[in-house]
Amino acid sequence: MSTETTPAGASIHNIGYRHYDGPRLGRAYARRSLFSQSLRGAYGLGRSAKSKVLPMLLFAVMCLPAGILVAVTLFTKAGSLPIGYARYPIYLQAVIGLYLAAQAPQSVSRDLRFKTTPLYFSRPIERVDYVLAKFAAMASALFILTAVPLVILYVGALLGKLDFLKQTKGFGQGLLCAALLSLLFAGIGLLVSALTPRRGFGVAAVIAALTIPYGAVSAIQGIATLQGSEAAVGWLGLFSPITLVDGVQSTFLGGTSSFPNGLTPSAAEGAVYLLVALLVIAGCYGLLMRRYRKAGM
């Protein structure tokens, strides 16, 4: 560093420029870092204590019924679990919906509100990296939320000396159900949240996107059953996220249906349910990519 003194007595410091010769970690590292931070943030890790309360409370609420069911099974020496693995997330859909409504806006709405997306999209990270990392992080957070209670059920079933092969098969089917639900809900929650920079609006919109279709579909299914139109009940389930997952798990994953009179979709209907669920996931991802086409939104 050199120093020059001007006639007025002021000093000019020439600190020079030193080229960076260290490792360049690139897009993959940036994408992994964004995924890791988003996943941690979904449970309040690395944030204030206040941010941890709600996600951890909802996680405990998801796990508590599983622990109770295991205790009942062990105490009564029952030959099976009271609730099937694939059915468990359907029973606790309200808790999953609340978690999604709280965390999806936190994941994307604040970036829109505080105009930080242009910083993310500066080199080396790109739009596809941002969307992929956020989508994967939210889906992973939901999978943890839904899969850990299934692990508790499985361990409890083995401790109760229930049939190993049957329980392992059911556990695997439950994990598939949890994975499908996590991808579907993550896509819907992030897409709805990305439409507004206001977190409060995002929370309300996610809750509405999950509850209004479910309430409408359940009511119409009930009316159709009373009128003897049971053939329409199965197809009506295509119009709600939770009934989509319910139809898939009751058809292919050994679960029981929550449709009126326990009606289970046929194999053909179940295939349509699975196809529609996958199309919704892909559609949400595609719309998120379009939403983030411009960095300076």
Side-chain angles (χ1 to χ4, degrees), residues 221 224-225 227-237 263-266 269 273:
Q221 283 180 328
T225 302
Q227 294 180 347
S229 302
E230 291 190 351
V233 171
W235 297 113
L236 288 169
L263 178 67
T264 300
S266 64
E269 292 173 336
Y273 270 72

Side-chain angles (χ1 to χ4, degrees), residues 26-45 99 103 106-108 111 120 125-144 182-183 186 190 285:
R27 287 177 58 188
Y29 176 81
R31 186 168 53 242
R32 289 194 302 269
S33 298
L34 181 58
F35 166 79
S36 174
Q37 292 173 4
S38 300
L39 178 57
R40 286 167 53 84
Y43 285 95
L45 302 178
Y99 178 87
Q103 300 307 316
Q106 183 273 137
S107 181
V108 296
D111 290 343
Y120 282 117
I125 198 170
E126 296 182 5
R127 171 172 54 101
V128 63
D129 301 311
Y130 180 88
V131 174
L132 182 61
K134 290 292 184 177
F135 199 113
M138 183 52 59
S140 298
L142 287 170
F143 184 73
I144 292 172
S182 299
L183 289 170
L190 289 176
Y285 181 81

Side-chain angles (χ1 to χ4, degrees), residues 264-281:
T264 300
S266 64
E269 292 173 336
V272 175
Y273 270 72
L274 179 59
L275 177 61
V276 171
L278 295 177
L279 287 175
V280 172
I281 294 170

Side-chain angles (χ1 to χ4, degrees), residues 45-65:
L45 302 178
R47 300 168 59 199
S48 65
K50 182 180 178 180
S51 300
K52 298 179 177 65
V53 173
L54 183 58
M56 292 302 180
L57 178 61
L58 292 175
F59 180 78
V61 171
M62 280 292 296
C63 294
L64 181 60

Side-chain angles (χ1 to χ4, degrees), residues 3-12:
T3 303
E4 299 180 4
T5 303
T6 65
S11 297
I12 300 175

Side-chain angles (χ1 to χ4, degrees), residues 113-126:
R113 182 178 182 183
F114 297 111
K115 306 294 184 180
T116 57
T117 46
L119 299 178
Y120 282 117
F121 296 162
S122 61
R123 294 177 65 184
I125 198 170
E126 296 182 5

Side-chain angles (χ1 to χ4, degrees), residues 165-242:
L165 293 179
K166 182 178 180 180
Q167 296 304 316
T168 301
K169 178 182 178 181
F171 177 60
Q173 292 172 329
L175 291 180
L176 289 176
C177 178
L180 178 63
L181 184 147
S182 299
L183 289 170
L184 181 63
F185 276 37
I188 294 173
L190 289 176
L191 178 60
V192 172
S193 300
L195 297 177
T196 173
R198 298 290 183 177
R199 183 180 179 184
F201 291 163
V203 171
V206 171
I207 293 176
L210 295 179
T211 58
I212 293 177
Y214 176 71
V217 166
S218 299
I220 298 174
Q221 283 180 328
I223 294 172
T225 302
L226 293 175
Q227 294 180 347
S229 302
E230 291 190 351
V233 171
W235 297 113
L236 288 169
L238 294 171
F239 299 97
S240 165
I242 193 62

